[in-house]
């Protein structure tokens, strides 16, 4: 059997509103947790309390995700600004000291 080799390069990853997406998902996890808490007895009777705690864990992990994507977004912006500054400095000719 022939070894699989790609015939073309992989496309660049899509960059979208990552911070907003993760924040929205985190809010949804917390909303689902709050909605399920009043029915905790129902879940406990059916041995399904893990549903409630999964929503809380999803919200907690989402908070970590928000911190991560915000710091990643800031690092990307810093990198772009540094590259733009370096490119601008390279375009500006150094005329030496003015007298």
């Amino acid at each position: 059997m022939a070894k699989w080799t790609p015939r073309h390069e992989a496309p660049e990853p899509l960059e979208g509103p990552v911070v907003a997406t993760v924040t929205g998902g985190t809010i949804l996890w917390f909303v689902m947790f709050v909605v399920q808490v009043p029915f905790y007895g129902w879940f406990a009777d059916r041995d399904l309390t893990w549903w409630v705690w999964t929503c809380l864990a999803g919200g907690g992990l989402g908070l970590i995700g928000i911190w991560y994507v915000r710091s990643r977004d800031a690092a990307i912006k810093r990198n772009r600004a540094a590259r733009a500054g370096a490119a601008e400095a390279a375009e500006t000719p150094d005329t030496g000291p003015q007298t």
Side-chain angles (χ1 to χ4, degrees), residues 65-80:
I66 291 170
W67 169 80
Y68 179 80
V69 295
R70 288 187 73 207
S71 60
R72 177 184 176 270
D73 194 41
I76 289 171
K77 288 178 182 175
R78 280 193 308 270
N79 188 351
R80 285 183 186 154

Side-chain angles (χ1 to χ4, degrees), residues 21-46:
T21 303
V22 173
T23 302
T26 302
I27 290 169
L28 285 175
W29 279 114
F30 279 124
V31 166
M32 289 189 306
F33 172 72
V34 169
V35 167
Q36 289 179 358
V37 166
F39 303 102
Y40 188 82
W42 184 89
F43 287 109
D45 292 343
R46 287 156 180 83

